Amino acid sequence: MTVLPEVKQDYGRMCNYINGQWVESGSARELDVMNPSTGESIGTVPLSTKKEVDEAVEAAHNAFWQWRTTPPINRARVLMALRELLEKNREELARIVVQEHGKTIDDARGEVQRAIEAVEVATGIPSLMMGYNLEDVSAGIDEYCIRQPLGVFAAIAPFNFPLMVPFWFLPFAIGCGNTFVLKPSEQVPISMQRVMSLVEAAGFPPGVVNLVNGDKEAVDGLLDNPKVVGVSFVGSSPVARYIYRRASEQGKRVQCQGGAKNFIVAMPDADLDQTVPNLLSSFFGSAGERCLAGSVLLAVGDVYEPLKDKFAAAAAKMKVGYGLDESVDMGPVISKSHRDRILGYIDKGIAEGAKLILDGRQVKVANYPEGYYVGPTIFDKATPQMTIAREEIFGPVGAIIPVEDLEEAMGIIDDCPFGNAASIFTGSGKAARTFQYTVRCGNIGINIGVAAPMAFFPFSGMKDSFFGDLHAQGRDAFNFFTERKVVITRWF
Ligand code: NAD
């Protein structure tokens, strides 16, 4: 399977992938898949029915026993084949991500790389899935703990990482011997559609990996199907809370990663030449549509004036446009309605008295007048009570709050209901340690603007940013996707 040289302009109607077959959905409901950079439709996505979801779950259920009894090293080999196919098609996949999501090509390449790394980690399954044992827990009695797969797992993904987020779950779930049904975001279904053809080529037995396109109806079908033993979700907090409750009520394992409002603290001793480029990438990378994006800058003491000026001046120079152009720094946001929502937040910031020092509302992108662009936007003199400092905007809008000291900064972070990520820029080990020790966020950056864990660490999150216990990827994944069974033996 080779790399396609060109990106397509029309990907047609998405299919479901069930039991190793490409299946047309019979649903009468469908949506256009939009290229947010151009405002043009590049395909359609069916919103599958509950019955179609049940067919996918049934296929996964039927495939489970044979896959579960396949030796882990053989399961790992199929993952290795998938890894090679992802590698060969990495540029094509990155270009599709740009087309359907709007991020820059470099960001998209990074996303594909992260997906590949998740598969690489999961290929260690024969070692990582091992249990443990102890001889002579009592005279002549041995005890051991084995890990076993559970059955059909489902994953429900958000729009902002069309390809990476499904890979937080897919390779770990199936590596452990489970079978899998993915419901990608209906806003960005093309990347995973393409991945399914690589799954097909990699040689997974039919039914081990399935994909069903859809929206709430498909999600509810997965939550209510008794043959689904566990659910992984990534998306906004209200939906995370709903899915956590509905799936756990039915006795399923659930892990739900929710929304975010991430704070970045700059201490008076921060190295500004290093800090500013990190802030740009954190606040405006992927047009602010990362769950780890910086959203509020807490500038401590004397750093406030010089940092504010340098940050705004550098952000003003960012080139906004279609991410397939390598010179572009920031693409559009995902949809027209999301852009309107972001513009609403900017209006609210002004109305509540924050000072708009960089206004991205009038940004013009040559050749793409219909794209959903918002330029980098910065508010100064925000306060912790303002809407722009409290709610998740999920767009390229930053707010600066001047604070007296680290204590005040950490107090503001603590008051925020979200707890996904927080970063500190400082030359002081003491300040960094205090920050790491105290702040209630799952992912902490120390002189790192986007604290994104590698695939061998869990992607954490606290407070309203996470519902559950075991997180995505890392060692948590092997616990989430296996049951621990204890065996106690005595031979007469
Ligand atoms: P979303 O919650 O709107 O949608 C996520 C998924 O849930 C989609 O597949 C969608 O079809 C489904 N869905 C939407 N509404 C539903 C409903 N009422 N019932 C059942 N299913 C429903 O999120 P989004 O806009 O696609 O993604 C952006 C959000 O995801 C942001 O809040 C962002 O912070 C969050 N996110 C969090 C993390 C993390 O690790 N914590 C990572 C990425 C994104």
mmCIF file of all heavy atoms in Angstrom, residues 36 101 159-160 187 236 286-290 331-346 372-374 391-397:
data_model
loop_
_atom_site.group_PDB
_atom_site.id
_atom_site.type_symbol
_atom_site.label_atom_id
_atom_site.label_comp_id
_atom_site.label_asym_id
_atom_site.label_seq_id
_atom_site.Cartn_x
_atom_site.Cartn_y
_atom_site.Cartn_z
ATOM 1 N N PRO A 36 -12.506 23.181 6.680
ATOM 2 C CA PRO A 36 -12.685 24.495 7.327
ATOM 3 C C PRO A 36 -11.788 25.577 6.734
ATOM 4 O O PRO A 36 -12.058 26.765 6.925
ATOM 5 C CB PRO A 36 -12.322 24.223 8.796
ATOM 6 C CG PRO A 36 -11.528 22.967 8.795
ATOM 7 C CD PRO A 36 -11.923 22.174 7.582
ATOM 8 N N HIS A 101 -9.550 18.949 9.280
ATOM 9 C CA HIS A 101 -9.515 19.652 10.562
ATOM 10 C C HIS A 101 -9.094 21.111 10.447
ATOM 11 O O HIS A 101 -9.622 21.965 11.149
ATOM 12 C CB HIS A 101 -8.573 18.925 11.538
ATOM 13 C CG HIS A 101 -8.407 19.660 12.827
ATOM 14 N ND1 HIS A 101 -7.522 20.711 12.970
ATOM 15 C CD2 HIS A 101 -9.057 19.557 13.994
ATOM 16 C CE1 HIS A 101 -7.625 21.203 14.190
ATOM 17 N NE2 HIS A 101 -8.549 20.520 14.834
ATOM 18 N N PHE A 159 -13.354 16.089 17.690
ATOM 19 C CA PHE A 159 -12.919 16.536 16.364
ATOM 20 C C PHE A 159 -11.465 16.993 16.326
ATOM 21 O O PHE A 159 -10.861 17.062 15.266
ATOM 22 C CB PHE A 159 -13.828 17.687 15.877
ATOM 23 C CG PHE A 159 -13.470 19.031 16.465
ATOM 24 C CD1 PHE A 159 -12.412 19.782 15.964
ATOM 25 C CD2 PHE A 159 -14.169 19.559 17.545
ATOM 26 C CE1 PHE A 159 -12.063 21.007 16.510
ATOM 27 C CE2 PHE A 159 -13.830 20.777 18.098
ATOM 28 C CZ PHE A 159 -12.768 21.501 17.579
ATOM 29 N N ASN A 160 -10.890 17.326 17.494
ATOM 30 C CA ASN A 160 -9.667 18.133 17.405
ATOM 31 C C ASN A 160 -8.396 17.344 17.109
ATOM 32 O O ASN A 160 -7.398 17.928 16.693
ATOM 33 C CB ASN A 160 -9.492 19.008 18.656
ATOM 34 C CG ASN A 160 -9.264 18.210 19.907
ATOM 35 O OD1 ASN A 160 -9.811 17.117 20.057
ATOM 36 N ND2 ASN A 160 -8.469 18.725 20.805
ATOM 37 N N GLN A 187 -17.498 15.318 12.619
ATOM 38 C CA GLN A 187 -16.949 16.488 11.927
ATOM 39 C C GLN A 187 -15.681 16.145 11.146
ATOM 40 O O GLN A 187 -15.319 16.849 10.217
ATOM 41 C CB GLN A 187 -16.649 17.607 12.930
ATOM 42 C CG GLN A 187 -17.906 18.129 13.614
ATOM 43 C CD GLN A 187 -17.609 19.356 14.445
ATOM 44 O OE1 GLN A 187 -17.640 20.484 13.967
ATOM 45 N NE2 GLN A 187 -17.325 19.148 15.705
ATOM 46 N N SER A 236 -16.016 17.125 25.108
ATOM 47 C CA SER A 236 -16.334 18.214 26.036
ATOM 48 C C SER A 236 -16.831 17.659 27.379
ATOM 49 O O SER A 236 -17.341 16.535 27.444
ATOM 50 C CB SER A 236 -17.405 19.113 25.415
ATOM 51 O OG SER A 236 -18.551 18.344 25.131
ATOM 52 N N SER A 286 -2.717 24.927 16.417
ATOM 53 C CA SER A 286 -3.987 24.245 16.160
ATOM 54 C C SER A 286 -5.174 25.187 16.437
ATOM 55 O O SER A 286 -6.247 24.740 16.834
ATOM 56 C CB SER A 286 -4.101 23.005 17.053
ATOM 57 O OG SER A 286 -4.305 21.884 16.265
ATOM 58 N N ALA A 287 -4.937 26.486 16.229
ATOM 59 C CA ALA A 287 -5.966 27.520 16.431
ATOM 60 C C ALA A 287 -6.589 27.447 17.827
ATOM 61 O O ALA A 287 -7.779 27.724 18.009
ATOM 62 C CB ALA A 287 -7.046 27.436 15.351
ATOM 63 N N GLY A 288 -5.783 27.042 18.804
ATOM 64 C CA GLY A 288 -6.287 26.970 20.190
ATOM 65 C C GLY A 288 -7.211 25.792 20.425
ATOM 66 O O GLY A 288 -7.796 25.672 21.506
ATOM 67 N N GLU A 289 -7.346 24.916 19.440
ATOM 68 C CA GLU A 289 -8.269 23.782 19.582
ATOM 69 C C GLU A 289 -7.523 22.523 20.055
ATOM 70 O O GLU A 289 -7.637 21.454 19.457
ATOM 71 C CB GLU A 289 -8.972 23.505 18.247
ATOM 72 C CG GLU A 289 -9.940 24.600 17.855
ATOM 73 C CD GLU A 289 -10.492 24.418 16.454
ATOM 74 O OE1 GLU A 289 -9.771 23.871 15.586
ATOM 75 O OE2 GLU A 289 -11.618 24.813 16.216
ATOM 76 N N ARG A 290 -6.729 22.696 21.092
ATOM 77 C CA ARG A 290 -6.106 21.551 21.749
ATOM 78 C C ARG A 290 -6.601 21.534 23.185
ATOM 79 O O ARG A 290 -6.705 22.591 23.800
ATOM 80 C CB ARG A 290 -4.581 21.695 21.794
ATOM 81 C CG ARG A 290 -3.866 21.575 20.493
ATOM 82 C CD ARG A 290 -2.364 21.581 20.812
ATOM 83 N NE ARG A 290 -1.534 21.692 19.636
ATOM 84 C CZ ARG A 290 -0.537 22.566 19.512
ATOM 85 N NH1 ARG A 290 -0.259 23.416 20.488
ATOM 86 N NH2 ARG A 290 0.193 22.587 18.427
ATOM 87 N N GLY A 331 -4.136 27.716 11.243
ATOM 88 C CA GLY A 331 -5.252 27.517 10.323
ATOM 89 C C GLY A 331 -6.556 28.035 10.898
ATOM 90 O O GLY A 331 -6.570 28.794 11.868
ATOM 91 N N PRO A 332 -7.674 27.618 10.292
ATOM 92 C CA PRO A 332 -8.989 28.065 10.743
ATOM 93 C C PRO A 332 -9.452 27.266 11.952
ATOM 94 O O PRO A 332 -8.782 26.305 12.361
ATOM 95 C CB PRO A 332 -9.877 27.718 9.540
ATOM 96 C CG PRO A 332 -9.222 26.484 8.986
ATOM 97 C CD PRO A 332 -7.744 26.680 9.167
ATOM 98 N N VAL A 333 -10.609 27.624 12.486
ATOM 99 C CA VAL A 333 -11.260 26.776 13.496
ATOM 100 C C VAL A 333 -12.199 25.816 12.763
ATOM 101 O O VAL A 333 -12.410 25.934 11.561
ATOM 102 C CB VAL A 333 -11.976 27.609 14.580
ATOM 103 C CG1 VAL A 333 -10.953 28.467 15.322
ATOM 104 C CG2 VAL A 333 -13.085 28.467 13.994
ATOM 105 N N ILE A 334 -12.778 24.881 13.488
ATOM 106 C CA ILE A 334 -13.381 23.717 12.849
ATOM 107 C C ILE A 334 -14.627 24.013 12.019
ATOM 108 O O ILE A 334 -14.845 23.358 10.997
ATOM 109 C CB ILE A 334 -13.679 22.610 13.906
ATOM 110 C CG1 ILE A 334 -14.149 21.316 13.236
ATOM 111 C CG2 ILE A 334 -14.702 23.087 14.941
ATOM 112 C CD1 ILE A 334 -13.107 20.618 12.428
ATOM 113 N N SER A 335 -15.447 24.972 12.435
ATOM 114 C CA SER A 335 -16.719 25.160 11.722
ATOM 115 C C SER A 335 -17.171 26.609 11.836
ATOM 116 O O SER A 335 -16.660 27.380 12.670
ATOM 117 C CB SER A 335 -17.797 24.244 12.323
ATOM 118 O OG SER A 335 -18.050 24.631 13.663
ATOM 119 N N LYS A 336 -18.155 26.919 11.012
ATOM 120 C CA LYS A 336 -18.706 28.272 11.038
ATOM 121 C C LYS A 336 -19.353 28.535 12.406
ATOM 122 O O LYS A 336 -19.161 29.580 13.016
ATOM 123 C CB LYS A 336 -19.758 28.372 9.937
ATOM 124 C CG LYS A 336 -20.147 29.751 9.563
ATOM 125 C CD LYS A 336 -20.910 29.688 8.235
ATOM 126 C CE LYS A 336 -21.357 31.057 7.788
ATOM 127 N NZ LYS A 336 -22.146 31.777 8.777
ATOM 128 N N SER A 337 -20.088 27.525 12.907
ATOM 129 C CA SER A 337 -20.787 27.753 14.180
ATOM 130 C C SER A 337 -19.769 27.885 15.323
ATOM 131 O O SER A 337 -19.977 28.675 16.245
ATOM 132 C CB SER A 337 -21.781 26.625 14.467
ATOM 133 O OG SER A 337 -21.097 25.404 14.527
ATOM 134 N N HIS A 338 -18.664 27.133 15.231
ATOM 135 C CA HIS A 338 -17.662 27.266 16.297
ATOM 136 C C HIS A 338 -16.993 28.643 16.220
ATOM 137 O O HIS A 338 -16.709 29.259 17.245
ATOM 138 C CB HIS A 338 -16.638 26.139 16.203
ATOM 139 C CG HIS A 338 -15.729 26.079 17.395
ATOM 140 N ND1 HIS A 338 -16.204 26.057 18.698
ATOM 141 C CD2 HIS A 338 -14.377 26.074 17.503
ATOM 142 C CE1 HIS A 338 -15.179 26.035 19.539
ATOM 143 N NE2 HIS A 338 -14.066 26.050 18.832
ATOM 144 N N ARG A 339 -16.778 29.129 14.979
ATOM 145 C CA ARG A 339 -16.199 30.476 14.866
ATOM 146 C C ARG A 339 -17.151 31.508 15.485
ATOM 147 O O ARG A 339 -16.711 32.395 16.226
ATOM 148 C CB ARG A 339 -15.932 30.832 13.398
ATOM 149 C CG ARG A 339 -15.269 32.203 13.282
ATOM 150 C CD ARG A 339 -14.975 32.594 11.871
ATOM 151 N NE ARG A 339 -16.181 32.652 11.067
ATOM 152 C CZ ARG A 339 -16.184 32.869 9.758
ATOM 153 N NH1 ARG A 339 -15.053 33.024 9.119
ATOM 154 N NH2 ARG A 339 -17.318 32.910 9.093
ATOM 155 N N ASP A 340 -18.434 31.354 15.222
ATOM 156 C CA ASP A 340 -19.402 32.311 15.800
ATOM 157 C C ASP A 340 -19.356 32.273 17.327
ATOM 158 O O ASP A 340 -19.465 33.298 17.999
ATOM 159 C CB ASP A 340 -20.818 31.983 15.312
ATOM 160 C CG ASP A 340 -20.976 32.308 13.830
ATOM 161 O OD1 ASP A 340 -20.106 33.017 13.288
ATOM 162 O OD2 ASP A 340 -21.950 31.818 13.214
ATOM 163 N N ARG A 341 -19.191 31.062 17.849
ATOM 164 C CA ARG A 341 -19.130 30.907 19.308
ATOM 165 C C ARG A 341 -17.892 31.631 19.864
ATOM 166 O O ARG A 341 -17.964 32.337 20.877
ATOM 167 C CB ARG A 341 -19.058 29.402 19.619
ATOM 168 C CG ARG A 341 -19.349 29.048 21.028
ATOM 169 C CD ARG A 341 -19.468 27.525 21.200
ATOM 170 N NE ARG A 341 -19.217 27.229 22.591
ATOM 171 C CZ ARG A 341 -18.017 26.968 23.089
ATOM 172 N NH1 ARG A 341 -16.961 26.919 22.304
ATOM 173 N NH2 ARG A 341 -17.869 26.743 24.378
ATOM 174 N N ILE A 342 -16.774 31.487 19.162
ATOM 175 C CA ILE A 342 -15.527 32.137 19.600
ATOM 176 C C ILE A 342 -15.681 33.659 19.517
ATOM 177 O O ILE A 342 -15.283 34.393 20.432
ATOM 178 C CB ILE A 342 -14.344 31.646 18.729
ATOM 179 C CG1 ILE A 342 -14.081 30.157 19.003
ATOM 180 C CG2 ILE A 342 -13.086 32.472 18.994
ATOM 181 C CD1 ILE A 342 -13.179 29.488 17.979
ATOM 182 N N LEU A 343 -16.296 34.131 18.433
ATOM 183 C CA LEU A 343 -16.503 35.580 18.291
ATOM 184 C C LEU A 343 -17.406 36.093 19.421
ATOM 185 O O LEU A 343 -17.219 37.197 19.934
ATOM 186 C CB LEU A 343 -17.100 35.909 16.918
ATOM 187 C CG LEU A 343 -16.202 35.558 15.715
ATOM 188 C CD1 LEU A 343 -16.886 35.921 14.402
ATOM 189 C CD2 LEU A 343 -14.827 36.230 15.797
ATOM 190 N N GLY A 344 -18.344 35.247 19.828
ATOM 191 C CA GLY A 344 -19.218 35.598 20.961
ATOM 192 C C GLY A 344 -18.402 35.774 22.240
ATOM 193 O O GLY A 344 -18.664 36.688 23.038
ATOM 194 N N TYR A 345 -17.413 34.918 22.444
ATOM 195 C CA TYR A 345 -16.545 35.056 23.625
ATOM 196 C C TYR A 345 -15.734 36.352 23.561
ATOM 197 O O TYR A 345 -15.511 37.011 24.582
ATOM 198 C CB TYR A 345 -15.611 33.852 23.747
ATOM 199 C CG TYR A 345 -16.234 32.695 24.489
ATOM 200 C CD1 TYR A 345 -16.555 31.508 23.842
ATOM 201 C CD2 TYR A 345 -16.505 32.786 25.851
ATOM 202 C CE1 TYR A 345 -17.135 30.450 24.526
ATOM 203 C CE2 TYR A 345 -17.081 31.739 26.547
ATOM 204 C CZ TYR A 345 -17.392 30.566 25.877
ATOM 205 O OH TYR A 345 -17.972 29.540 26.573
ATOM 206 N N ILE A 346 -15.294 36.706 22.353
ATOM 207 C CA ILE A 346 -14.519 37.956 22.232
ATOM 208 C C ILE A 346 -15.425 39.142 22.606
ATOM 209 O O ILE A 346 -15.023 40.034 23.362
ATOM 210 C CB ILE A 346 -13.921 38.099 20.810
ATOM 211 C CG1 ILE A 346 -12.945 36.940 20.536
ATOM 212 C CG2 ILE A 346 -13.217 39.446 20.654
ATOM 213 C CD1 ILE A 346 -12.368 36.903 19.135
ATOM 214 N N TYR A 372 -13.049 29.320 7.834
ATOM 215 C CA TYR A 372 -13.537 29.733 9.170
ATOM 216 C C TYR A 372 -12.377 30.278 10.018
ATOM 217 O O TYR A 372 -11.997 29.687 11.023
ATOM 218 C CB TYR A 372 -14.185 28.543 9.876
ATOM 219 C CG TYR A 372 -15.125 27.739 8.989
ATOM 220 C CD1 TYR A 372 -15.064 26.355 8.960
ATOM 221 C CD2 TYR A 372 -16.068 28.382 8.179
ATOM 222 C CE1 TYR A 372 -15.923 25.614 8.147
ATOM 223 C CE2 TYR A 372 -16.918 27.662 7.358
ATOM 224 C CZ TYR A 372 -16.836 26.280 7.347
ATOM 225 O OH TYR A 372 -17.667 25.553 6.534
ATOM 226 N N TYR A 373 -11.836 31.395 9.573
ATOM 227 C CA TYR A 373 -10.626 31.904 10.222
ATOM 228 C C TYR A 373 -10.925 32.892 11.343
ATOM 229 O O TYR A 373 -11.836 33.707 11.236
ATOM 230 C CB TYR A 373 -9.726 32.576 9.178
ATOM 231 C CG TYR A 373 -9.229 31.605 8.126
ATOM 232 C CD1 TYR A 373 -9.880 31.484 6.893
ATOM 233 C CD2 TYR A 373 -8.134 30.800 8.382
ATOM 234 C CE1 TYR A 373 -9.433 30.579 5.941
ATOM 235 C CE2 TYR A 373 -7.690 29.894 7.429
ATOM 236 C CZ TYR A 373 -8.340 29.779 6.218
ATOM 237 O OH TYR A 373 -7.911 28.873 5.281
ATOM 238 N N VAL A 374 -10.136 32.787 12.408
ATOM 239 C CA VAL A 374 -10.075 33.813 13.459
ATOM 240 C C VAL A 374 -8.586 34.005 13.724
ATOM 241 O O VAL A 374 -7.870 33.018 13.919
ATOM 242 C CB VAL A 374 -10.731 33.346 14.784
ATOM 243 C CG1 VAL A 374 -10.708 34.464 15.819
ATOM 244 C CG2 VAL A 374 -12.153 32.837 14.579
ATOM 245 N N GLU A 391 -14.350 30.022 31.154
ATOM 246 C CA GLU A 391 -14.962 28.994 30.307
ATOM 247 C C GLU A 391 -14.013 28.554 29.206
ATOM 248 O O GLU A 391 -13.161 29.319 28.756
ATOM 249 C CB GLU A 391 -16.269 29.539 29.700
ATOM 250 C CG GLU A 391 -17.316 29.798 30.772
ATOM 251 C CD GLU A 391 -18.675 30.208 30.198
ATOM 252 O OE1 GLU A 391 -18.865 30.140 28.964
ATOM 253 O OE2 GLU A 391 -19.533 30.608 31.011
ATOM 254 N N GLU A 392 -14.207 27.323 28.760
ATOM 255 C CA GLU A 392 -13.378 26.813 27.658
ATOM 256 C C GLU A 392 -13.831 27.490 26.363
ATOM 257 O O GLU A 392 -14.987 27.350 25.961
ATOM 258 C CB GLU A 392 -13.534 25.294 27.531
ATOM 259 C CG GLU A 392 -12.695 24.737 26.391
ATOM 260 C CD GLU A 392 -12.711 23.210 26.294
ATOM 261 O OE1 GLU A 392 -13.782 22.613 26.448
ATOM 262 O OE2 GLU A 392 -11.633 22.634 26.067
ATOM 263 N N ILE A 393 -12.926 28.200 25.709
ATOM 264 C CA ILE A 393 -13.270 28.879 24.453
ATOM 265 C C ILE A 393 -12.937 27.963 23.268
ATOM 266 O O ILE A 393 -13.656 27.896 22.300
ATOM 267 C CB ILE A 393 -12.516 30.225 24.338
ATOM 268 C CG1 ILE A 393 -12.891 31.138 25.518
ATOM 269 C CG2 ILE A 393 -12.813 30.889 22.997
ATOM 270 C CD1 ILE A 393 -12.104 32.439 25.606
ATOM 271 N N PHE A 394 -11.838 27.252 23.363
ATOM 272 C CA PHE A 394 -11.390 26.317 22.330
ATOM 273 C C PHE A 394 -11.184 27.035 20.991
ATOM 274 O O PHE A 394 -11.669 26.621 19.944
ATOM 275 C CB PHE A 394 -12.381 25.154 22.184
ATOM 276 C CG PHE A 394 -11.681 23.822 22.028
ATOM 277 C CD1 PHE A 394 -10.728 23.410 22.948
ATOM 278 C CD2 PHE A 394 -11.976 22.969 20.966
ATOM 279 C CE1 PHE A 394 -10.085 22.183 22.812
ATOM 280 C CE2 PHE A 394 -11.334 21.742 20.823
ATOM 281 C CZ PHE A 394 -10.389 21.355 21.748
ATOM 282 N N GLY A 395 -10.461 28.135 21.092
ATOM 283 C CA GLY A 395 -10.145 28.924 19.908
ATOM 284 C C GLY A 395 -8.915 29.768 20.204
ATOM 285 O O GLY A 395 -8.397 29.748 21.331
ATOM 286 N N PRO A 396 -8.451 30.556 19.225
ATOM 287 C CA PRO A 396 -7.191 31.292 19.383
ATOM 288 C C PRO A 396 -7.368 32.596 20.160
ATOM 289 O O PRO A 396 -7.083 33.668 19.643
ATOM 290 C CB PRO A 396 -6.760 31.538 17.943
ATOM 291 C CG PRO A 396 -8.048 31.629 17.192
ATOM 292 C CD PRO A 396 -9.016 30.701 17.859
ATOM 293 N N VAL A 397 -7.873 32.486 21.363
ATOM 294 C CA VAL A 397 -8.152 33.664 22.195
ATOM 295 C C VAL A 397 -7.469 33.488 23.548
ATOM 296 O O VAL A 397 -7.801 32.561 24.287
ATOM 297 C CB VAL A 397 -9.678 33.839 22.405
ATOM 298 C CG1 VAL A 397 -9.960 35.053 23.278
ATOM 299 C CG2 VAL A 397 -10.403 33.937 21.074
#
